[in-house]
Amino acid sequence: MGLELYLDLLSQPCRAVYIFAKKNGIPFKLCTTEVLKGQLQTKEFSKINMLRKIPVLKDGDFILTESSAILIYLSSKYQTADHWYPSDLQARARVHEYLGWHADCIRGTFGVPLWTQVIAPLTGTHVPEEKVERNKTAMDRALQQLEDKFLGDKAFLIGQQMSLADLMAFEELMQPVAVGYDLFEGRPKLAAWCERVEAFLGSDLFQETHGPILNILEQAVNKKFPKPSPEVYPLILLRISRIP
């Protein structure tokens, strides 16, 4: 049995996994699993991941969840170029250092604008403006830390070459960019880093991966974005309620 990846390209970590596999020529079967259509809530999917989350990797009888674990598994199994997940102990530790900070300070913060501008209105939910402003402040703080602590004067977050850290960070930042946020205003270092990452990915792979998310705001404004299925309404409302 071949490698299967369960992904929804509206999801930041799913895009990171997809890009990594495609960029490295890793053969896989794409099992598109659309969150807003309630496909995570089916009995069939729960047999694959009882946590009802994506991305999911299925390699024969081996099932793995969590994007960072999946990326590390793929880089190790397929022996991808060393710059992704360096063999040097200290460089590898830097990747893990970033991924730990990412989970606390980036993941869950930079996806909020999509929820407030697109998902919440589809459910008739209004997010208070003070929450929106608090999230903007949190994003600004995280961007400053990303620039000062991790990027500095380097070309990429870990060194002079692209790594898993850059891929994970880039995909999270693309989420608010897709709904009109200018994250890089007054941040030339981060803007230049973003351009380097995009150039490394290549225009074809970038467009292939980001087409769904880059069109989402236009679809929402023109009322062409499909409403979530009833099965996911409670989960959406719960997620919105958890915005600080």
Side-chain angles (χ1 to χ4, degrees), residues 117-118 122 214-226:
Q117 293 190 42
V118 177
L122 290 175
L214 292 177
N215 292 328
I216 197 169
L217 190 59
E218 180 181 351
Q219 291 183 57
V221 169
N222 294 325
K223 302 188 183 302
K224 292 183 178 180
F225 192 74

Side-chain angles (χ1 to χ4, degrees), residues 12-13 102-113 115 135 138-139 172 239 242-244:
Q12 308 93 298
H102 177 97
D104 283 339
C105 300
I106 297 286
R107 188 80 185 112
T109 300
F110 284 74
V112 168
W115 286 89
N135 191 76
M139 286 198 296
E172 287 294 335
R239 174 66 182 88
R242 289 177 173 172
I243 297 173

Side-chain angles (χ1 to χ4, degrees), residues 23 196-208 210:
K23 187 69 179 176
R196 285 191 289 272
V197 173
E198 187 172 338
F200 179 86
L201 298 181
S203 59
D204 289 345
L205 181 55
F206 178 85
Q207 291 299 328
E208 174 187 337
H210 297 92

Side-chain angles (χ1 to χ4, degrees), residues 79-95:
Q79 299 181 331
T80 57
D82 191 70
H83 63 82
W84 287 109
Y85 188 55
S87 55
D88 176 80
L89 177 61
Q90 292 186 355
R92 180 171 289 191
R94 290 296 185 198
V95 172

Side-chain angles (χ1 to χ4, degrees), residues 112-114 116-117 129 132-133 135-136 139-140 173-185 217:
V112 168
L114 179 67
T116 59
Q117 293 190 42
E129 189 60 30
V132 174
E133 290 303 316
N135 191 76
K136 286 181 181 178
M139 286 198 296
D140 285 341
L173 269 57
M174 284 302 299
Q175 211 75 347
V177 166
V179 292
Y181 276 61
D182 186 0
L183 294 183
F184 306 110
E185 183 180 3
L217 190 59

